[in-house]
Every structure is written in C-alpha cells, then in structure tokens.
Amino acid sequence: MATASNLGDYLRARRERVRPDDVGLPGGDRRRVPGLRQEEVALLAGISVEYYLRLEQGRDQHPSDQVLDSIARALQLEADAATYLHELARPARAARRRPSRPERASAALRTRLPRPWWSGRRS
C-alpha cells in the first residue's frame, strides 16, 4: 500500500526532472537543487509553499483532486503519471473496494466432485 512518504518521494523525483526553463522561469547559475525548487512548484500550482512542503514531507494526507491536478500541471506530468500521483495520494480508495463474491461451482460440477473428508459421508 502507498504511504505519504511514497507521495513525497514521487513529488521530489518529478520536481527534479523539470528545469526552470521548461516552465518559463529563469534558471540561473547558482541553483543548489536539480530541477524546480519547492517554492517554484507551489507558485506554478497556485498553492502555498507551506502546503506543498507538507505534501512532500507527508504531513498532509488529504490533498484535493484540484490540488493534485494543479501539481500535475506544474510538474508537466503526462496522463499516466498524473493518475499515479492521484493513486499515491489516495491509497485507501483501492482498499475500500468491496470484496468480490466467492465463486460457486455449478450443481453439475458439484455432483462430480468427491465429498470432502469432513462431511462424514463417503463418496
């Protein structure tokens, strides 16, 4: 199951892939981090820097779909990568699915199968 740290790891990895030039920001020679800074992602996504930091650090575990979409656009994620971002942020959705019904053998098949040993009857 995905965790908040997985979300933060993914955001950091994707942030490092986007160069400032790719999104119209000045690059500069004295950048200490590869790719975008956290502040730049927050600016591009239209969210506060503090909120983005909480997401990367795993301290906020309920970002809205709108926030996730904004971050996906800011990081220039393709559709599959954006979907994965949503899945990382919502790991409980998959766990909430109803369990499937157990499969049942047809009556014809059951008559051909030997009775189980615990039934008390011999086949």
Side-chain angles (χ1 to χ4, degrees), residues 3-77:
T3 64
S5 64
N6 290 347
L7 175 63
D9 292 343
Y10 186 69
L11 288 172
R12 279 186 293 282
R14 296 308 299 226
R15 180 169 54 85
E16 291 175 357
R17 291 183 176 188
V18 182
R19 294 189 333 251
D21 302 352
D22 296 340
V23 292
L25 295 173
D29 296 335
R30 301 189 49 138
R31 296 185 71 85
R32 295 185 310 182
V33 296
L36 295 177
R37 295 179 177 120
Q38 293 167 328
E39 297 83 8
E40 293 167 334
V41 175
L43 173 72
L44 293 168
I47 60 177
S48 73
V49 176
E50 175 60 32
Y51 187 59
Y52 183 78
L53 289 171
R54 287 196 319 259
L55 289 174
E56 262 198 22
Q57 294 170 353
R59 292 186 291 135
D60 190 311
Q61 302 187 11
H62 303 288
S64 68
D65 288 335
Q66 293 83 5
V67 167
L68 294 170
D69 290 339
S70 296
I71 292 172
R73 278 191 301 277
L75 296 175
Q76 301 181 336
L77 299 182

